Amino acid sequence: MEISHYISGQAVAGKRQKTGPVFNPSTGAKLYDLDYGDATLVDQATQAAQVAGKAWAQTSQAKRLQVIFKMRELVIAHTEEIAKITGLEHGKTIADAKGELSRGLEALEYATNAAQVSKGEFSLNVGGGIDVYSFRQPVGVVGCIAPFNFPVMVPLMMASMAIACGNAVIVKPSEKVPGAAFFLSDLWKEAGLPDGVWNIVNGDKQVVDAILQHPGIPAISFVGSTGVGEYIYHQGSAFNKRVAAYTGGKNHMVVMPDADLEAAASAFVSAAYGSSSQRCMAISLLLPVGRETAERLIELVVPKIKSLRLGAYDDNDADFGAVISADAKQVIEASLETALKDGASLLVDGRSHGVNSDGFYVGASLLDNVTTSMEMYKKEVFGPVRAIVRVGSLDEAIAVTNSHEYGNGAVIYTGSGNAAQRFVTEVKAGMLGVNVAVPVPVGHHNFGGLRRSKFGDAHMFGPDAARFYTDLKTVSQRWPEISGFDTLSMAFPSNS
Ligand code: NAD
């Protein structure tokens, strides 16, 4: 499959003035050079999207939603190919890639409710025979800027509701993993989506900046790192655009002494190291409450982590795969060294993972005695180096969790309803888990963090997505039986 841009229902090769390599992280081999678009290509895609989007917005809701239903069937039918492309370019195992795809499908399934979640309101005879109603219309063209760690789920989550609500989209996949989103293009076409409603412009910052600046793109959804998300939010806002940006996380998992420690240990290992920890909702930090809880948990988690098997994306026995790039590997490994210099102790040393390959493999490491002043605590490490921060009480656990700049997810394992209740009400994170280690909400609940894990007050996934991808208009109308209903009055209109 040749990966290129996709505009007006066709693959567009690009000028090849600027390209970037796409790797197979499992082997370290370069797969191909991806053409990077520019402002001219973004303009071409926007013009196509504006024309197609206008017609799509006028298409009946029933017809639009039939396309979403059909797309769901096609994605299911092509699960194997999509999972393979995802694993090949990302490094995650096929099983993990299929799990990712199933969450993308949830977004498609939820988007079939677009008619319900985007419908308006009506008030009869608010005064003087006037009725007031509100309705929602698609914003037009939406720019969707995606991260590398969910090559298919995030583009699907962003586009499903946007398209179902009658918009056209310009997707900018991560330049590291453009294949899976590109594969969706033919499926959308086969599902009956008119040409120009789904477009892809590949590339880097140059393309993102062109999307930010283009007057024909009024709304932008972004998922990625905090620095970039903050930039996109502020730049987009400066151009008076609607921006929702979901950004980095450092998810704390508190384990109380009354928790089922065996369950908590298993949950921690899978939530912390799955997908090489390259998930925004991965558990980064384990906070056992009390010395005994800490010692017991360490006894339980260490052998489990040591038994994890690293391998290529298509190795059915692998628990997790390589990280995305040689640069990422270096950054993750350096974070471990810094933590050790800062005084952390090492419980599991992933540096000796034993995989003999040029792939970007990083073994699972676990640090102990990490404190909130250490870089290991403060910075998001997007790879399998995880840390224990020991705390003495629930109060301290909540205070530590709230001291972090991020508030994406936070989790408590406990047998106490009271502790759980305090945790979910007092912790400032957008997605909370009680005895659930990866509390990614189902498609019909809003997804999104708080604090510096999210910029912009709108949610782009879940019920609020329908509001993000539409403009609200409110009409006050009167249909009098006789003429002469307006008389001159300079007072502000009142309904009394
Ligand atoms: P990234 O910020 O490097 O890239 C995201 C997108 O922004 C890509 O399409 C990239 O091309 C573009 N980009 C990169 N640098 C840019 C710049 N300087 N100017 C403009 N655009 C730029 O993120 P990533 O490494 O691809 O993804 C990992 C990050 O995403 C992690 O921080 C992770 O926590 C976060 N993430 C968050 C969520 C969430 O829901 N909160 C979900 C998934 C990933």
Side-chain angles (χ1 to χ4, degrees):
M1 189 177 66
E2 187 103 348
I3 312 296
S4 64
H5 315 284
Y6 191 89
I7 298 173
S8 291
Q10 286 188 346
V12 174
K15 296 185 225 145
R16 299 202 76 77
Q17 278 171 353
K18 187 175 181 190
T19 61
V22 176
F23 288 95
N24 172 357
S26 301
T27 62
K30 186 169 86 175
L31 293 167
Y32 56 92
D33 283 312
L34 178 72
D35 184 77
Y36 285 6
D38 56 14
T40 309
L41 204 64
V42 170
D43 184 49
Q44 190 185 325
T46 309
Q47 288 192 33
Q50 281 177 313
V51 173
K54 201 167 172 188
W56 180 239
Q58 285 163 3
T59 303
S60 76
Q61 272 182 342
K63 281 194 180 156
R64 293 203 304 250
L65 298 185
Q66 278 161 17
V67 172
I68 304 286
F69 276 108
K70 179 76 183 150
M71 181 64 177
R72 175 186 175 272
E73 284 168 29
L74 289 169
V75 170
I76 291 171
H78 291 276
T79 295
E80 295 300 329
E81 292 113 297
I82 297 170
K84 188 172 177 201
I85 298 165
T86 303
L88 177 69
E89 293 187 355
H90 177 284
K92 66 174 72 178
T93 63
I94 294 287
D96 195 24
K98 286 182 180 169
E100 167 184 347
L101 187 59
S102 75
R103 300 311 291 254
L105 274 169
E106 247 176 45
L108 270 174
E109 285 159 5
Y110 186 61
T112 62
N113 293 290
Q116 168 69 15
V117 286
S118 66
K119 72 182 182 198
E121 294 177 326
F122 189 93
S123 300
L124 186 70
N125 192 17
V126 296
I130 294 174
D131 306 327
V132 177
Y133 66 94
S134 302
F135 63 95
R136 294 189 167 273
Q137 286 181 301
V139 294
V141 181
V142 180
C144 305
I145 302 160
F148 82 82
N149 65 323
F150 290 113
V152 67
M153 181 187 83
V154 169
L156 261 185
M157 283 173 110
M158 289 170 161
S160 303
M161 189 57 91
I163 289 175
C165 287
N167 298 286
V169 298
I170 298 173
V171 179
K172 209 300 280 172
S174 164
E175 63 276 35
K176 296 175 184 132
V177 292
F182 183 77
F183 186 87
L184 296 178
S185 306
D186 281 348
L187 302 189
W188 279 115
K189 197 174 175 103
E190 199 182 331
L193 190 69
D195 292 349
V197 176
W198 161 273
N199 306 279
I200 291 179
V201 180
N202 286 302
D204 58 4
K205 179 173 167 42
Q206 202 183 341
V207 169
V208 172
D209 284 341
I211 291 173
L212 283 169
Q213 287 162 25
H214 201 294
I217 306 175
I220 294 174
S221 49
F222 168 86
V223 177
S225 59
T226 296
V228 177
E230 187 170 22
Y231 165 77
I232 286 173
Y233 175 71
H234 289 297
Q235 280 292 108
S237 303
F239 288 104
N240 201 21
K241 298 189 181 208
R242 183 178 306 176
V243 183
Y246 290 179
T247 53
K250 190 92 182 177
N251 307 312
H252 295 49
M253 176 173 171
V254 173
V255 181
M256 296 295 287
D258 62 3
D260 176 338
L261 294 188
E262 181 60 59
S266 297
F268 168 72
V269 174
S270 44
Y273 298 99
S275 203
S276 316
S277 315
Q278 296 173 120
R279 293 179 184 146
C280 65
M281 286 293 281
I283 294 294
S284 311
L285 301 164
L286 180 62
L287 281 68
V289 176
R291 177 195 272 267
E292 265 179 50
T293 313
E295 299 309 331
R296 182 77 191 111
L297 264 182
I298 287 168
E299 270 172 33
L300 291 167
V301 297
V302 166
K304 289 186 205 297
I305 298 168
K306 284 185 173 164
S307 72
L308 292 176
R309 206 173 156 271
L310 258 173
Y313 78 95
D314 53 358
D315 175 347
N316 289 334
D317 295 328
D319 292 304
F320 65 93
V323 298
I324 188 66
S325 64
D327 283 354
K329 176 177 157 72
Q330 205 184 356
V331 169
I332 298 159
E333 286 171 351
S335 74
L336 177 69
E337 302 299 335
T338 305
L340 295 177
K341 272 191 211 125
D342 288 347
S345 35
L346 193 55
L347 295 174
V348 183
D349 188 351
R351 291 171 297 189
S352 47
H353 55 67
V355 180
N356 191 13
S357 159
D358 290 335
F360 313 133
Y361 293 98
V362 183
S365 293
L366 182 64
L367 295 154
D368 193 6
N369 299 311
V370 165
T371 62
T372 53
S373 60
M374 291 183 193
E375 198 175 289
M376 175 51 64
Y377 176 78
K378 292 180 188 161
K379 275 178 72 171
E380 179 181 38
V381 178
F382 219 49
V385 178
R386 313 279 91 175
I388 294 176
V389 179
R390 292 175 179 238
V391 290
S393 64
L394 177 60
D395 282 342
E396 193 187 348
I398 291 172
V400 167
T401 308
N402 282 337
S403 73
H404 205 281
E405 63 171 332
Y406 294 135
N408 209 35
V411 169
I412 186 166
Y413 270 65
T414 182
S416 155
N418 182 261
Q421 183 70 2
R422 278 200 56 205
F423 189 80
V424 299
T425 49
E426 292 179 32
V427 166
K428 293 193 198 83
M431 293 170 282
L432 296 150
V434 176
N435 298 318
V436 173
V438 186
V440 173
V442 287
H444 50 281
H445 281 267
N446 287 316
F447 176 109
L450 293 175
R451 294 183 281 160
R452 288 176 59 76
S453 291
K454 179 166 170 282
F455 293 81
D457 61 359
H459 288 90
M460 70 179 104
F461 308 145
D464 283 1
R467 292 183 267 283
F468 179 68
Y469 292 121
T470 53
D471 284 329
L472 181 74
K473 289 182 181 170
T474 302
V475 180
S476 299
Q477 69 173 15
R478 178 163 59 185
W479 295 103
E481 283 179 27
I482 47 160
S483 59
F485 49 85
D486 265 333
T487 52
L488 183 67
S489 165
M490 303 307 285
F492 191 72
S494 107
N495 293 318
S496 57

